[in-house]
Amino acid sequence: MKKFLVIAAAALALAACSKSEVFAPKTSPIDFAPNAMSTKALVEGTVFPDESFGVFAYADLENGNGIDYANPVMDNVEIKKQGPDWKGVTTTAHPDPYMWTPTGFINFYAYYPLSLDASFVATENQQQSNKGLHLDNVDLGVTINSQIDPMVACALQQQSSLKPQVPMVFKHITSQIQVYAFDATTIESLRGHIIVQKVTFKQMKRAGSYVEGEVTGNGTWTPVADYQEFVPYQTTSPTVLPKEKDSENKPVEKNLSENSLFVVIPTHLAATDNTAIEVTYMTTAYDINGFHYPDSEPKTATIPLFDAQNPRITDNAFKNGKRYIFHLGITLDKANNEIMFSPSVEDWSTEDVNGLTIDAVNAILL
C-alpha cells in the first residue's frame, strides 16, 4: 500500500508539472520523449525538432537524506535523438549510458536550445517544487526567421522502479509577436484604397537572463538594457488591404507577419521605454463628393504600446509563452474634411415649404 501511494503521488506531481502521462516501462537506460506546444517561433506544431537539448537531473533514493543535489544524475547532459530513442550523449568523461537509480525517484529539468548558458542552482534547503534552472545572457538574435526560441521543461518524481520514458513537455519562455492589418473604413465607397508598406516595432527587448519559477516556464526575466528594432513587414510591391467583409460583417484582415513572426524578451513596459509600433502606409487614388484625390505620399503613424489608463496589452507587460497578435486598423473615414451641410426647413405655422434641394458643394439650388 505504501509503495502504491508513493507511485500515485509521483504521478500526481508529474501531471502538475508537465501535464503528460507516465509512459510504460521501457529499458534501464534513461530515455526521453520530448514534445512542445510549438517547436520554434516560426513553426506551428507539436513535434519537437530533431535537435539536442540539455538536462539536469537529481535523485532522491528515499534513504531519508532527500534530494542529492551534490551528486547529480545528469549535470547539464546533452540529450540527442539516437535512432528511435532520445537519450544522453556519452562522453570521454562519462562513457557509460545514463541509468536509472535502483530506488527512489528522479527530478528532471530541461532547456532548449543546447547553446544556452545554463546552470542549476540548488541549496540544501531547496524543496522539490523550487526549481533552480538559470539561463544567463540569452540573446534571441535580431534577424527575423533566424532567432532562437528558448524553451524549458520539467518532469518531477519520475519513479526509478518504473523506469519510464521521461516525458518532457517544453514551454516557450519568450513573447511571440504577430501583426495583422485591416481596412477600418466604414464609408463603403472608400474601402480598398489603403496600402501598408512597412511595420516597425520600436524599442523591444531582445536579450536577458532567466530564472525558473514555481511553475514551469513562468520564471523571471531580467532584460538587459539593449533595445532592438524589428521589422516584421516591409514590401516593395504593396497591395491594398482587402475591402471585403466576412460573414459577420467584419473587415477581412491581411496577415502581415505570415512569414516573419518574431520573439522578444518578456518585460513590463514603462513610459520611458518608448516602445511603439510605426506603420508606414499610403492610399491609392479615389473620388469622393465630386473631387478626385490622387495617390498619396507615404505617411507614418506611431502607436505607443504603453498606456497607463487603457493598456493596449494586459498589465502593460509582455509575458512568458504568450502570443501577441496586433490588429492594425486604418481608416479613410476622415479623408474628406470639407465643411458639409445638411439643410432642412422647419414648417411655418401657416404654410409648409417642401422640395428644396441644395447642392452642398456649390451652395446653389438644384
Side-chain angles (χ1 to χ4, degrees):
M1 176 63 71
K2 180 179 179 181
K3 181 176 181 181
F4 175 81
L5 291 176
V6 170
I7 295 175
L12 181 62
L14 170 63
C17 168
S18 64
K19 301 187 184 303
S20 296
E21 62 183 14
V22 176
F23 284 73
K26 286 196 70 178
T27 59
S28 293
I30 300 175
D31 291 341
F32 294 85
N35 200 348
M37 294 307 296
S38 175
T39 58
K40 290 195 174 186
L42 313 181
V43 178
E44 297 292 339
T46 57
V47 179
F48 193 85
D50 289 342
E51 300 176 27
S52 299
F53 59 92
V55 165
F56 296 87
Y58 303 90
D60 185 334
L61 300 180
E62 297 182 339
N63 55 12
N65 295 327
I67 299 175
D68 187 0
Y69 288 108
N71 299 289
V73 177
M74 290 184 165
D75 188 12
N76 202 9
V77 173
E78 177 183 2
I79 309 301
K80 186 177 182 180
K81 193 171 187 180
Q82 303 176 58
D85 300 316
W86 289 85
K87 53 188 179 180
V89 174
T90 58
T91 63
T92 302
H94 196 291
D96 300 319
Y98 291 88
M99 309 292 287
W100 287 93
T101 53
T103 59
F105 62 82
I106 302 177
N107 288 342
F108 296 89
Y109 306 93
Y111 67 93
Y112 167 90
L114 188 67
S115 59
L116 297 178
D117 182 4
S119 60
F120 192 93
V121 177
T123 64
E124 60 180 7
N125 295 321
Q126 186 177 24
Q127 300 299 313
Q128 297 167 15
S129 60
N130 294 332
K131 297 172 290 296
L133 187 63
H134 288 213
L135 304 175
D136 294 324
N137 301 314
V138 178
D139 191 332
L140 303 178
V142 300
T143 304
I144 292 178
N145 293 337
S146 298
Q147 292 179 286
I148 65 168
D149 178 22
M151 297 185 287
V152 297
C154 77
L156 303 184
Q157 296 190 347
Q158 297 291 288
Q159 291 293 318
S160 299
S161 59
L162 297 178
K163 297 180 175 60
Q165 188 180 54
V166 183
M168 303 302 293
V169 178
F170 282 83
K171 298 184 179 181
H172 300 278
I173 56 175
T174 56
S175 303
Q176 188 187 83
I177 307 294
Q178 294 187 23
V179 189
Y180 287 76
F182 64 95
D183 190 332
T185 306
T186 60
I187 301 174
E188 292 298 327
S189 61
L190 288 180
R191 291 181 58 80
H193 292 284
I194 297 171
I195 295 172
V196 179
Q197 296 180 313
K198 182 179 180 181
V199 176
T200 305
F201 281 76
K202 311 281 288 187
Q203 298 291 89
M204 306 292 285
K205 296 286 189 179
R206 50 73 72 94
S209 294
Y210 177 82
V211 176
E212 186 65 293
E214 293 285 335
V215 178
T216 302
N218 196 31
T220 302
W221 278 99
T222 304
V224 299
D226 180 15
Y227 293 94
Q228 181 63 40
E229 178 179 286
F230 291 96
V231 182
Y233 181 78
Q234 185 172 16
T235 179
T236 56
S237 302
T239 58
V240 297
L241 295 180
K243 64 183 300 182
E244 297 78 20
K245 294 185 178 181
D246 61 20
S247 58
E248 297 180 355
N249 201 36
K250 296 180 180 179
V252 175
E253 294 185 309
K254 178 179 175 62
N255 186 352
L256 301 184
S257 55
E258 184 174 5
N259 299 310
S260 57
L261 308 181
F262 66 99
V263 291
V264 297
I265 296 295
T267 186
H268 285 269
L269 300 177
T272 53
D273 291 337
N274 296 318
T275 305
I277 306 174
E278 283 188 356
V279 185
T280 302
Y281 64 94
M282 62 174 292
T283 57
T284 62
Y286 60 89
D287 296 280
I288 186 172
N289 296 324
F291 290 93
H292 175 76
Y293 291 86
D295 294 344
S296 72
E297 293 295 322
K299 300 178 181 179
T300 298
T302 300
I303 307 169
L305 290 186
F306 174 83
D307 190 318
Q309 300 301 320
N310 299 292
R312 290 182 170 84
I313 60 175
T314 302
D315 301 326
N316 276 315
F318 288 106
K319 298 178 181 179
N320 298 2
K322 193 169 183 178
R323 176 184 293 121
Y324 293 87
I325 303 177
F326 290 87
H327 302 270
L328 305 177
I330 306 173
T331 178
L332 265 173
D333 283 344
K334 294 185 178 181
N336 191 310
N337 293 320
E338 293 177 274
I339 299 175
M340 301 290 182
F341 296 91
S342 179
S344 63
V345 178
E346 288 188 352
D347 292 339
W348 292 90
S349 59
T350 58
E351 182 177 355
D352 293 331
V353 180
N354 299 309
L356 295 179
T357 303
I358 297 178
D359 181 342
V361 174
N362 299 299
I364 59 174
L365 288 174
L366 297 179

PDB file of all heavy atoms in Angstrom, residues 331-349:
ATOM      1  N   THR A 331      -8.174  53.710 -41.360  1.00  0.00           N
ATOM      2  CA  THR A 331      -9.448  54.163 -41.915  1.00  0.00           C
ATOM      3  C   THR A 331      -9.289  55.415 -42.771  1.00  0.00           C
ATOM      4  O   THR A 331      -8.424  56.253 -42.505  1.00  0.00           O
ATOM      5  CB  THR A 331     -10.468  54.450 -40.794  1.00  0.00           C
ATOM      6  OG1 THR A 331     -11.679  54.939 -41.368  1.00  0.00           O
ATOM      7  CG2 THR A 331      -9.933  55.479 -39.808  1.00  0.00           C
ATOM      8  N   LEU A 332     -10.144  55.498 -43.765  1.00  0.00           N
ATOM      9  CA  LEU A 332     -10.218  56.684 -44.609  1.00  0.00           C
ATOM     10  C   LEU A 332     -11.473  57.500 -44.321  1.00  0.00           C
ATOM     11  O   LEU A 332     -11.843  58.372 -45.100  1.00  0.00           O
ATOM     12  CB  LEU A 332     -10.225  56.274 -46.096  1.00  0.00           C
ATOM     13  CG  LEU A 332      -8.869  56.266 -46.807  1.00  0.00           C
ATOM     14  CD1 LEU A 332      -9.011  55.690 -48.197  1.00  0.00           C
ATOM     15  CD2 LEU A 332      -8.276  57.662 -46.876  1.00  0.00           C
ATOM     16  N   ASP A 333     -12.130  57.206 -43.207  1.00  0.00           N
ATOM     17  CA  ASP A 333     -13.395  57.876 -42.907  1.00  0.00           C
ATOM     18  C   ASP A 333     -13.263  59.390 -42.819  1.00  0.00           C
ATOM     19  O   ASP A 333     -14.206  60.122 -43.081  1.00  0.00           O
ATOM     20  CB  ASP A 333     -13.974  57.338 -41.587  1.00  0.00           C
ATOM     21  CG  ASP A 333     -14.617  55.970 -41.769  1.00  0.00           C
ATOM     22  OD1 ASP A 333     -14.883  55.599 -42.924  1.00  0.00           O
ATOM     23  OD2 ASP A 333     -14.823  55.278 -40.765  1.00  0.00           O
ATOM     24  N   LYS A 334     -12.091  59.874 -42.452  1.00  0.00           N
ATOM     25  CA  LYS A 334     -11.897  61.321 -42.331  1.00  0.00           C
ATOM     26  C   LYS A 334     -11.076  61.873 -43.488  1.00  0.00           C
ATOM     27  O   LYS A 334     -10.432  62.911 -43.372  1.00  0.00           O
ATOM     28  CB  LYS A 334     -11.239  61.659 -41.004  1.00  0.00           C
ATOM     29  CG  LYS A 334     -12.124  61.338 -39.798  1.00  0.00           C
ATOM     30  CD  LYS A 334     -11.489  61.801 -38.504  1.00  0.00           C
ATOM     31  CE  LYS A 334     -12.411  61.525 -37.318  1.00  0.00           C
ATOM     32  NZ  LYS A 334     -11.825  61.978 -36.037  1.00  0.00           N
ATOM     33  N   ALA A 335     -11.136  61.173 -44.622  1.00  0.00           N
ATOM     34  CA  ALA A 335     -10.337  61.607 -45.770  1.00  0.00           C
ATOM     35  C   ALA A 335     -10.796  62.940 -46.320  1.00  0.00           C
ATOM     36  O   ALA A 335      -9.994  63.731 -46.818  1.00  0.00           O
ATOM     37  CB  ALA A 335     -10.384  60.549 -46.871  1.00  0.00           C
ATOM     38  N   ASN A 336     -12.095  63.211 -46.263  1.00  0.00           N
ATOM     39  CA  ASN A 336     -12.631  64.467 -46.802  1.00  0.00           C
ATOM     40  C   ASN A 336     -13.083  65.334 -45.641  1.00  0.00           C
ATOM     41  O   ASN A 336     -14.076  65.033 -44.978  1.00  0.00           O
ATOM     42  CB  ASN A 336     -13.804  64.168 -47.744  1.00  0.00           C
ATOM     43  CG  ASN A 336     -14.214  65.400 -48.524  1.00  0.00           C
ATOM     44  OD1 ASN A 336     -14.426  66.458 -47.956  1.00  0.00           O
ATOM     45  ND2 ASN A 336     -14.335  65.256 -49.838  1.00  0.00           N
ATOM     46  N   ASN A 337     -12.339  66.403 -45.371  1.00  0.00           N
ATOM     47  CA  ASN A 337     -12.628  67.264 -44.225  1.00  0.00           C
ATOM     48  C   ASN A 337     -13.236  68.597 -44.627  1.00  0.00           C
ATOM     49  O   ASN A 337     -13.155  69.573 -43.886  1.00  0.00           O
ATOM     50  CB  ASN A 337     -11.352  67.505 -43.409  1.00  0.00           C
ATOM     51  CG  ASN A 337     -10.875  66.236 -42.738  1.00  0.00           C
ATOM     52  OD1 ASN A 337     -11.681  65.470 -42.236  1.00  0.00           O
ATOM     53  ND2 ASN A 337      -9.575  66.017 -42.752  1.00  0.00           N
ATOM     54  N   GLU A 338     -13.838  68.640 -45.831  1.00  0.00           N
ATOM     55  CA  GLU A 338     -14.506  69.883 -46.227  1.00  0.00           C
ATOM     56  C   GLU A 338     -15.695  70.169 -45.314  1.00  0.00           C
ATOM     57  O   GLU A 338     -16.251  69.251 -44.701  1.00  0.00           O
ATOM     58  CB  GLU A 338     -15.017  69.774 -47.662  1.00  0.00           C
ATOM     59  CG  GLU A 338     -13.947  69.691 -48.717  1.00  0.00           C
ATOM     60  CD  GLU A 338     -14.575  69.526 -50.077  1.00  0.00           C
ATOM     61  OE1 GLU A 338     -14.860  68.382 -50.453  1.00  0.00           O
ATOM     62  OE2 GLU A 338     -14.802  70.549 -50.735  1.00  0.00           O
ATOM     63  N   ILE A 339     -16.102  71.427 -45.261  1.00  0.00           N
ATOM     64  CA  ILE A 339     -17.294  71.794 -44.493  1.00  0.00           C
ATOM     65  C   ILE A 339     -18.518  71.358 -45.272  1.00  0.00           C
ATOM     66  O   ILE A 339     -18.743  71.798 -46.395  1.00  0.00           O
ATOM     67  CB  ILE A 339     -17.339  73.315 -44.237  1.00  0.00           C
ATOM     68  CG1 ILE A 339     -16.119  73.728 -43.426  1.00  0.00           C
ATOM     69  CG2 ILE A 339     -18.623  73.695 -43.509  1.00  0.00           C
ATOM     70  CD1 ILE A 339     -16.017  75.221 -43.218  1.00  0.00           C
ATOM     71  N   MET A 340     -19.311  70.517 -44.701  1.00  0.00           N
ATOM     72  CA  MET A 340     -20.503  69.979 -45.355  1.00  0.00           C
ATOM     73  C   MET A 340     -21.755  70.446 -44.604  1.00  0.00           C
ATOM     74  O   MET A 340     -21.715  70.665 -43.391  1.00  0.00           O
ATOM     75  CB  MET A 340     -20.445  68.441 -45.383  1.00  0.00           C
ATOM     76  CG  MET A 340     -19.240  67.882 -46.119  1.00  0.00           C
ATOM     77  SD  MET A 340     -19.324  68.161 -47.892  1.00  0.00           S
ATOM     78  CE  MET A 340     -17.810  67.335 -48.409  1.00  0.00           C
ATOM     79  N   PHE A 341     -22.854  70.567 -45.330  1.00  0.00           N
ATOM     80  CA  PHE A 341     -24.123  70.981 -44.723  1.00  0.00           C
ATOM     81  C   PHE A 341     -25.200  69.948 -45.009  1.00  0.00           C
ATOM     82  O   PHE A 341     -25.164  69.257 -46.018  1.00  0.00           O
ATOM     83  CB  PHE A 341     -24.572  72.338 -45.289  1.00  0.00           C
ATOM     84  CG  PHE A 341     -23.650  73.469 -44.956  1.00  0.00           C
ATOM     85  CD1 PHE A 341     -22.610  73.791 -45.811  1.00  0.00           C
ATOM     86  CD2 PHE A 341     -23.809  74.211 -43.800  1.00  0.00           C
ATOM     87  CE1 PHE A 341     -21.746  74.827 -45.527  1.00  0.00           C
ATOM     88  CE2 PHE A 341     -22.949  75.248 -43.504  1.00  0.00           C
ATOM     89  CZ  PHE A 341     -21.912  75.558 -44.365  1.00  0.00           C
ATOM     90  N   SER A 342     -26.143  69.881 -44.109  1.00  0.00           N
ATOM     91  CA  SER A 342     -27.320  69.048 -44.317  1.00  0.00           C
ATOM     92  C   SER A 342     -28.547  69.888 -43.991  1.00  0.00           C
ATOM     93  O   SER A 342     -29.106  69.829 -42.894  1.00  0.00           O
ATOM     94  CB  SER A 342     -27.258  67.814 -43.410  1.00  0.00           C
ATOM     95  OG  SER A 342     -28.394  67.015 -43.594  1.00  0.00           O
ATOM     96  N   PRO A 343     -28.965  70.712 -44.951  1.00  0.00           N
ATOM     97  CA  PRO A 343     -30.029  71.692 -44.664  1.00  0.00           C
ATOM     98  C   PRO A 343     -31.426  71.075 -44.609  1.00  0.00           C
ATOM     99  O   PRO A 343     -31.713  70.097 -45.287  1.00  0.00           O
ATOM    100  CB  PRO A 343     -29.919  72.653 -45.840  1.00  0.00           C
ATOM    101  CG  PRO A 343     -29.408  71.807 -46.950  1.00  0.00           C
ATOM    102  CD  PRO A 343     -28.485  70.818 -46.320  1.00  0.00           C
ATOM    103  N   SER A 344     -32.249  71.649 -43.751  1.00  0.00           N
ATOM    104  CA  SER A 344     -33.682  71.327 -43.705  1.00  0.00           C
ATOM    105  C   SER A 344     -34.425  72.554 -43.250  1.00  0.00           C
ATOM    106  O   SER A 344     -33.830  73.489 -42.722  1.00  0.00           O
ATOM    107  CB  SER A 344     -33.943  70.149 -42.754  1.00  0.00           C
ATOM    108  OG  SER A 344     -33.580  70.516 -41.434  1.00  0.00           O
ATOM    109  N   VAL A 345     -35.723  72.593 -43.504  1.00  0.00           N
ATOM    110  CA  VAL A 345     -36.537  73.761 -43.161  1.00  0.00           C
ATOM    111  C   VAL A 345     -37.697  73.325 -42.284  1.00  0.00           C
ATOM    112  O   VAL A 345     -38.448  72.415 -42.640  1.00  0.00           O
ATOM    113  CB  VAL A 345     -37.086  74.459 -44.432  1.00  0.00           C
ATOM    114  CG1 VAL A 345     -37.969  75.647 -44.062  1.00  0.00           C
ATOM    115  CG2 VAL A 345     -35.927  74.911 -45.314  1.00  0.00           C
ATOM    116  N   GLU A 346     -37.797  73.957 -41.130  1.00  0.00           N
ATOM    117  CA  GLU A 346     -38.944  73.656 -40.286  1.00  0.00           C
ATOM    118  C   GLU A 346     -40.197  74.306 -40.872  1.00  0.00           C
ATOM    119  O   GLU A 346     -40.128  75.333 -41.541  1.00  0.00           O
ATOM    120  CB  GLU A 346     -38.724  74.191 -38.868  1.00  0.00           C
ATOM    121  CG  GLU A 346     -37.690  73.400 -38.086  1.00  0.00           C
ATOM    122  CD  GLU A 346     -37.631  73.826 -36.645  1.00  0.00           C
ATOM    123  OE1 GLU A 346     -38.268  74.830 -36.291  1.00  0.00           O
ATOM    124  OE2 GLU A 346     -36.941  73.158 -35.878  1.00  0.00           O
ATOM    125  N   ASP A 347     -41.337  73.692 -40.604  1.00  0.00           N
ATOM    126  CA  ASP A 347     -42.596  74.240 -41.121  1.00  0.00           C
ATOM    127  C   ASP A 347     -42.928  75.566 -40.449  1.00  0.00           C
ATOM    128  O   ASP A 347     -42.693  75.758 -39.263  1.00  0.00           O
ATOM    129  CB  ASP A 347     -43.752  73.272 -40.855  1.00  0.00           C
ATOM    130  CG  ASP A 347     -43.606  72.020 -41.683  1.00  0.00           C
ATOM    131  OD1 ASP A 347     -42.888  72.070 -42.691  1.00  0.00           O
ATOM    132  OD2 ASP A 347     -44.199  70.998 -41.305  1.00  0.00           O
ATOM    133  N   TRP A 348     -43.486  76.514 -41.292  1.00  0.00           N
ATOM    134  CA  TRP A 348     -44.136  77.683 -40.709  1.00  0.00           C
ATOM    135  C   TRP A 348     -45.446  77.216 -40.092  1.00  0.00           C
ATOM    136  O   TRP A 348     -45.973  76.164 -40.415  1.00  0.00           O
ATOM    137  CB  TRP A 348     -44.413  78.747 -41.770  1.00  0.00           C
ATOM    138  CG  TRP A 348     -43.168  79.392 -42.326  1.00  0.00           C
ATOM    139  CD1 TRP A 348     -42.450  78.988 -43.377  1.00  0.00           C
ATOM    140  CD2 TRP A 348     -42.564  80.566 -41.830  1.00  0.00           C
ATOM    141  NE1 TRP A 348     -41.383  79.826 -43.593  1.00  0.00           N
ATOM    142  CE2 TRP A 348     -41.439  80.814 -42.645  1.00  0.00           C
ATOM    143  CE3 TRP A 348     -42.825  81.450 -40.771  1.00  0.00           C
ATOM    144  CZ2 TRP A 348     -40.589  81.903 -42.455  1.00  0.00           C
ATOM    145  CZ3 TRP A 348     -41.983  82.523 -40.593  1.00  0.00           C
ATOM    146  CH2 TRP A 348     -40.861  82.753 -41.410  1.00  0.00           C
ATOM    147  N   SER A 349     -45.938  78.046 -39.302  1.00  0.00           N
ATOM    148  CA  SER A 349     -47.200  77.664 -38.681  1.00  0.00           C
ATOM    149  C   SER A 349     -48.356  77.700 -39.662  1.00  0.00           C
ATOM    150  O   SER A 349     -49.375  77.084 -39.439  1.00  0.00           O
ATOM    151  CB  SER A 349     -47.508  78.575 -37.496  1.00  0.00           C
ATOM    152  OG  SER A 349     -47.584  79.918 -37.917  1.00  0.00           O
TER     153      SER A 349
END
